[in-house]
């Protein structure tokens, strides 16, 4: 091979083809990209090529073979790193990396266990193109051609590259009209534009986001305010003020999904205490309640709770917009005389909480430094839940009352590992180690919640408090659908996957004595108004997208961050409209169109508030836009 003369730029051609085919193979093996027809498959196959032609084409501007090869190798390494970074990220988040996530370096040290669990030695195959390119550089002997033809070759090459790009864009637009206006659906972007073009588009979107704040003047809020006011629900007369004056304890149940409640695993009860709680006379339990988080996971659920707004389509608000003005639940309760705090046995900088909590006007943050982690009490990213809850109640006993405290649990977190002495049930027996271990950590979390209730009673805090608990996000991603199908004994369709986004929501009011299971369909964006109304606080002048779950006017319409939605009649997932009762596609798919348009509108309204930092132009007390003079004041 070394003696044979190859056409000039053969190494360049081999590099383009090797990375192109490697990318396509990774698409098919590492990501769960839904393909509905032959055209979509062809677009997926084609879409890596356009950017690779442009990127590798830079080698044509180098005169020496050595310089060209170095450039080609650099491009190969960069594209492989981007591709593999998305592979590892997708295994846990079932999503593609966005620019803000790449810069969340403060979190990298804390996600070590999850990252390590997503990397395998066999992943070397994802770098196959680099190996092929190195072999080509070693053994391919290229012909030398006249220098005067180099400019002509370059022109023809880049004309071809542009033609491929526009051909790809034309097919994508035909397959998915208004693709770029639906940028919250990253899978759709990758499927039609390609992994590498998607990242360039993401850079554009993030730059646009930064520019939005600089150019915003508050006028955009008028339309948003009108939308919010027109969709407000009046509080329930019966439940408004039901917990007025009490301490508010909100517990985030890490990675807890509803499917484990009132259920068994190989004959063993998974959540015995919370099962009893669903039937408790002092508890209102919501089984049809969905998480609405994005890439910010737990931090997104906190954002939904505190603000009643949706998280961003890319990245975490806690990191990207921690300096914004917000109208938080903590601020509102603080104005009513409540001492406000968060308790979380992790480093204060994780998800940028120390900065974000200041913007949310939370008085105090009990981070890992506020807890004593004894021998055998550390787990994953911090402290085991049982000792964490025990010490949290200790902190509560010293707080000024009334107080509003939030507790963030940790143990039931990917990769769901436990010490032997903490395992109360056996592992499951599927082909997914993640799902197998999940039942054990959920069982531990249930025991920790039982401990919390017991300790509150022992410390005399229970009777004068309201305890709200919610699951923050999914624990088992779509990557484990085969194992979930085994456990649930049914196929995991897009409809079933949407149903699996249900997380528990408990409202426990000691002494209420009229507890029941509330079948209302709702989501995390509804928590803020629901809780504040229970505490006897009005929200009619607040800009929020959720509604009181107890209100007779509450609309059963839950919007997911990725554009899916659930109503009392339909489930919209994977661009298919399903009947919520049967789980089958409805005959008239257009029935979901009005909801789809409104879902996109509401997500865009929320995103515009965040990106433009529009609440700095809003006067909370009177529910009006600030005057120009007020806006100019520091």
């Amino acid at each position: 091979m070394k003696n044979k003369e190859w056409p000039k730029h053969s190494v360049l051609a081999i590099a383009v083809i090797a990375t192109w085919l490697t990318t396509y193979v990774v698409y098919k093996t590492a990501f769960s990209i839904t393909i509905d027809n032959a055209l979509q498959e062809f677009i997926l196959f084609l879409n890596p090529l356009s950017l690779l032609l442009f990127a590798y084409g830079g080698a044509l501007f180098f005169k020496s073979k050595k310089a060209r090869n170095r450039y080609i190798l650099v491009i190969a390494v960069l594209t492989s790193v981007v591709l593999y970074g998305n592979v590892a990220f997708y295994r846990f988040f079932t999503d593609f990396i966005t620019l803000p996530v790449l810069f969340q370096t403060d979190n990298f040290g804390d996600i070590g266990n999850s990252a390590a669990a997503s990397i395998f030695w066999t992943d070397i195959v994802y770098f196959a193109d680099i190996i092929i390119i190195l072999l080509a550089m070693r053994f391919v002997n290229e012909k030398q051609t006249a220098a005067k033809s180099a400019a002509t070759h370059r022109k023809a090459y880049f004309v071809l590259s542009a033609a491929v790009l526009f051909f790809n864009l034309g097919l994508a637009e035909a397959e998915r009209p208004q693709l770029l206006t639906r940028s919250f659906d990253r899978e759709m972007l990758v499927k039609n534009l390609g992994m590498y073009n998607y990242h360039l588009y993401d850079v554009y979107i993030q730059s646009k986001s930064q520019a939005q704040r600089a150019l915003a003047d508050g006028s955009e809020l008028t339309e948003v305010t009108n939308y919010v006011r027109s969709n407000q629900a009046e509080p329930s007369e019966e439940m408004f003020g039901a917990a007025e004056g009490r301490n508010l304890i909100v517990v985030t149940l890490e990675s807890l999904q509803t499917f484990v409640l009132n259920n068994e695993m190989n004959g063993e009860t998974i959540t015995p205490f919370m099962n009893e709680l669903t039937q408790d006379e002092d508890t209102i339990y919501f089984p049809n309640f969905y998480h609405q988080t994005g890439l910010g996971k737990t931090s997104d659920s906190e954002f939904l709770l505190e603000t009643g707004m949706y998280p961003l389509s890319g990245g975490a608000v806690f990191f990207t917009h921690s300096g914004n003005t917000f109208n938080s639940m903590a601020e509102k309760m603080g104005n009513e005389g409540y001492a406000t705090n968060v308790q979380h046995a992790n480093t204060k900088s994780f998800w940028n909480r120390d900065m974000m909590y200041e913007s949310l006007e939370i008085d105090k943050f009990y981070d890992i430094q506020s807890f004593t982690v004894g021998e055998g009490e550390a787990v994953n990213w911090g402290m085991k839940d049982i000792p964490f809850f025990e010490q949290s109640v200790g902190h509560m006993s010293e707080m000024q009352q009334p107080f509003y405290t939030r507790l963030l649990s940790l143990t039931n977190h990917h990769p769901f590992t436990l010490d032997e002495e903490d395992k109360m049930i056996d592992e499951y027996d599927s082909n997914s180690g993640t799902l197998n271990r999940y039942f054990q950590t959920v069982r531990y979390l249930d025991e920790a919640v039982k401990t919390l209730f017991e300790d509150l009673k022992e410390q005399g805090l229970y009777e004068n408090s309201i305890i709200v608990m919610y699951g923050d996000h999914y624990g088992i991603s779509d990557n484990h659908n085969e194992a979930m199908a085994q456990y649930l004994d049914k196929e995991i369709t897009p409809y079933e996957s949407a149903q699996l986004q249900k997380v528990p929501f408990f409202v426990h009011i000691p002494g209420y004595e009229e507890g029941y299971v509330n079948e209302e369909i709702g989501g995390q964006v509804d928590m803020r108004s629901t809780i504040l109304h229970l505490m006897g606080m009005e929200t009619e002048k607040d800009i929020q997208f959720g509604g009181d779950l107890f209100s007779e006017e509450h609309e059963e319409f839950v919007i997911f961050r990725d554009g899916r939605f659930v109503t009392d009649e339909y489930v919209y997932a994977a661009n298919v409209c399903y009947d919520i009762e049967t789980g089958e596609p409805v005959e008239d798919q257009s029935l979901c169109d009005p909801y789809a348009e409104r879902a996109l509108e509401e997500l865009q309204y929320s995103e515009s508030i965040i990106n433009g930092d529009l609440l700095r132009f809003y006067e909370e007390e009177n529910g009006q836009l600030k005057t120009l003079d007020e806006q100019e004041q520091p």
Side-chain angles (χ1 to χ4, degrees):
M1 184 184 291
K2 187 70 175 176
N3 295 327
K4 175 186 175 181
E5 284 196 329
W6 291 60
K8 191 175 183 181
H9 304 309
S10 290
V11 172
L12 171 60
I14 290 171
V16 171
I17 293 171
T19 305
W20 176 20
L21 295 181
T22 298
T23 304
Y24 178 68
V25 171
V26 172
Y27 282 170
K28 301 301 293 181
T29 58
F31 306 121
S32 301
I33 298 177
T34 304
I35 299 296
D36 297 323
N37 53 56
L39 178 59
Q40 289 184 5
E41 189 68 60
F42 178 71
I43 294 172
L44 187 70
F45 173 71
L46 177 68
N47 67 40
L49 185 57
S50 60
L51 186 131
L52 293 176
L53 284 170
F54 279 107
Y56 278 117
L60 295 174
F61 293 93
F62 294 92
K63 293 182 178 180
S64 74
K65 177 181 177 181
K66 187 175 183 180
R68 284 198 304 271
N69 286 349
R70 283 179 176 173
Y71 176 83
I72 289 171
L73 190 58
V74 167
I75 296 299
V77 170
L78 287 175
T79 54
S80 294
V81 168
V82 169
L83 192 62
Y84 181 67
N86 278 278
V87 169
F89 188 81
Y90 194 92
R91 284 172 177 165
F92 179 60
F93 289 95
T94 322
D95 209 336
F96 301 97
I97 296 174
T98 66
L99 193 63
V101 171
L102 284 176
F103 288 99
Q104 287 165 198
T105 53
D106 286 347
N107 287 357
F108 288 173
D110 292 286
I111 61 176
N113 286 341
S114 291
S118 299
I119 297 174
F120 311 100
W121 70 268
T122 51
D123 290 346
I124 190 67
V125 299
Y126 295 124
F127 298 88
D129 58 326
I130 295 178
I131 298 171
I132 293 171
I133 292 168
L134 288 172
L135 290 173
M137 290 176 177
R138 174 71 176 84
F139 294 108
V140 170
N141 182 27
E142 296 177 331
K143 290 180 181 179
Q144 298 301 311
T145 57
K148 63 182 180 180
S149 65
T152 302
H153 288 167
R154 282 199 300 268
K155 183 177 180 180
Y157 178 92
F158 284 107
V159 167
L160 172 64
S161 301
V164 172
L165 173 62
F166 286 113
F167 181 54
N168 184 174
L169 292 175
L171 290 176
E173 180 64 21
E175 172 61 28
R176 181 65 171 176
Q178 299 180 317
L179 172 67
L180 298 184
T181 63
R182 295 174 176 267
S183 58
F184 57 78
D185 191 340
R186 279 177 288 279
E187 180 182 317
M188 193 67 65
L189 289 170
V190 171
K191 182 164 69 173
N192 287 282
L193 298 181
M195 177 69 71
Y196 310 114
N197 287 325
Y198 152 69
H199 281 296
L200 288 180
Y201 180 69
D202 182 48
V203 170
Y204 162 74
I205 289 296
Q206 301 307 327
S207 301
K208 181 181 176 182
S209 168
Q210 295 303 313
Q212 275 184 272
R213 187 186 192 282
L215 298 173
D217 61 6
S219 59
E220 304 96 319
L221 264 182
T222 302
E223 185 178 346
V224 178
T225 303
N226 290 338
Y227 176 85
V228 170
R229 297 287 181 267
S230 66
N231 289 285
Q232 272 187 341
E234 286 294 319
S236 161
E237 291 185 10
E238 178 186 352
M239 298 303 293
F240 186 85
E244 187 172 358
R246 295 188 183 221
N247 302 315
L248 171 61
I249 302 169
V250 178
V251 183
T252 300
L253 303 169
E254 173 65 42
S255 301
L256 187 64
Q257 293 173 248
T258 301
F259 76 87
V260 293
L261 268 72
N262 294 306
N263 214 341
E264 293 184 345
M265 185 276 296
N266 290 342
E268 297 187 87
T269 303
I270 308 166
T271 56
F273 180 74
M274 283 187 276
N275 290 353
E276 293 179 6
L277 209 57
T278 64
Q279 303 297 322
D280 189 273
E281 64 178 6
D282 292 334
T283 300
I284 302 100
Y285 169 63
F286 294 82
N288 296 314
F289 183 85
Y290 296 81
H291 86 84
Q292 296 169 288
T293 64
L295 292 178
K297 291 299 188 73
T298 302
S299 72
D300 279 354
S301 77
E302 294 183 72
F303 181 73
L304 282 151
L305 168 74
E306 288 288 348
T307 67
M309 294 193 294
Y310 297 98
L312 290 171
S313 59
V317 181
F318 269 45
F319 180 82
T320 60
H321 294 80
S322 62
N324 275 18
T325 297
F326 298 105
N327 178 204
S328 71
M329 185 164 74
E331 176 189 357
K332 205 168 188 73
M333 297 199 67
N335 291 339
E336 295 296 324
Y338 276 74
T340 62
N341 62 77
V342 176
Q343 303 191 58
H344 186 37
N346 200 344
T347 55
K348 64 181 181 180
S349 62
F350 191 58
W351 285 123
N352 202 35
R353 285 189 171 98
D354 53 342
M355 302 295 292
M356 185 64 175
Y357 286 169
E358 288 186 16
S359 295
L360 295 175
E361 299 197 22
I362 293 169
D363 296 335
K364 186 171 182 177
F365 181 18
Y366 294 86
D367 68 344
I368 189 63
Q369 299 300 321
S370 302
F371 297 87
T372 301
V373 184
E375 184 176 352
E377 292 182 347
V379 66
N380 294 332
W381 302 356
M383 187 180 187
K384 292 179 180 178
D385 290 342
I386 291 178
F388 165 67
F389 283 145
E390 289 173 342
Q391 293 187 37
S392 294
V393 174
H395 290 150
M396 288 183 223
S397 66
E398 299 174 355
M399 292 177 190
Q400 169 192 327
Q401 297 191 43
F403 58 74
Y404 161 39
T405 187
R406 283 201 284 114
L407 314 181
L408 280 72
S409 62
L410 267 175
T411 306
N412 189 43
H413 195 289
H414 186 272
F416 309 113
T417 54
L418 276 181
D419 293 333
E420 285 298 322
E421 63 269 22
D422 296 319
K423 296 178 180 179
M424 303 174 195
I425 58 176
D426 295 329
E427 283 193 12
Y428 187 49
D429 52 4
S430 74
N431 64 356
S432 167
T434 298
L435 179 62
N436 296 346
R437 297 187 298 272
Y438 179 71
F439 294 104
Q440 293 182 318
T441 51
V442 167
R443 176 66 184 86
Y444 178 89
L445 173 59
D446 181 78
E447 197 68 20
V449 172
K450 179 181 178 182
T451 299
L452 171 65
F453 274 66
E454 291 173 346
D455 286 1
L456 287 170
K457 292 174 181 178
E458 289 178 8
Q459 291 291 334
L461 295 167
Y462 176 77
E463 294 294 339
N464 193 39
S465 299
I466 172 177
I467 305 164
V468 176
M469 303 192 298
Y470 72 95
D472 57 353
H473 54 75
Y474 66 78
I476 306 301
S477 72
D478 288 343
N479 291 326
H480 306 277
N481 278 352
E482 183 180 341
M484 282 298 298
Q486 176 186 328
Y487 174 70
L488 298 175
D489 195 26
K490 58 184 173 182
E491 180 186 359
I492 307 301
T493 63
Y495 164 84
E496 292 294 347
S497 179
Q499 295 297 79
L500 284 171
Q501 305 316 304
K502 290 180 181 179
V503 294
F505 184 55
F506 296 90
V507 175
H508 184 79
I509 310 174
Y512 179 61
E513 297 183 353
E514 297 180 23
Y516 63 101
V517 175
N518 190 322
E519 299 289 347
E520 187 79 4
I521 294 172
Q524 291 171 333
V525 76
D526 297 317
M527 293 190 292
R528 182 184 189 273
S529 56
T530 302
I531 293 171
L532 285 173
H533 290 169
L534 286 169
M535 305 306 292
M537 301 179 193
E538 297 282 357
T539 63
E540 60 181 9
K541 295 178 182 178
D542 297 349
I543 294 180
Q544 58 183 5
F545 294 96
D548 187 341
L549 289 168
F550 293 109
S551 171
E552 294 181 1
E553 299 176 5
H554 177 262
E555 183 180 11
E556 296 184 294
F557 181 37
V558 178
I559 304 168
F560 295 180
R561 181 56 267 187
D562 59 10
R564 291 179 292 174
F565 60 79
V566 177
T567 76
D568 56 344
E569 294 181 285
Y570 310 113
V571 172
Y572 182 75
N575 300 311
V576 176
C577 188
Y578 294 90
D579 184 292
I580 195 170
E581 296 295 334
T582 66
E584 297 296 325
V586 298
E587 290 186 12
D588 184 0
Q589 287 289 300
S590 66
L591 291 170
C592 277
D593 289 350
Y595 295 103
E597 292 174 8
R598 184 175 159 203
L600 178 59
E601 179 182 38
E602 195 159 306
L603 290 170
Q604 289 176 335
Y605 279 146
S606 182
E607 195 126 330
S608 69
I609 292 174
I610 298 167
N611 288 332
D613 190 12
L614 299 184
L615 292 183
R616 60 191 159 125
F617 304 120
Y618 189 70
E619 184 58 62
E620 302 166 19
E621 292 183 3
N622 59 26
Q624 301 292 323
L625 284 175
K626 292 180 179 179
T627 64
L628 289 177
D629 289 340
E630 290 173 325
Q631 291 180 24
E632 292 172 0
Q633 292 177 6

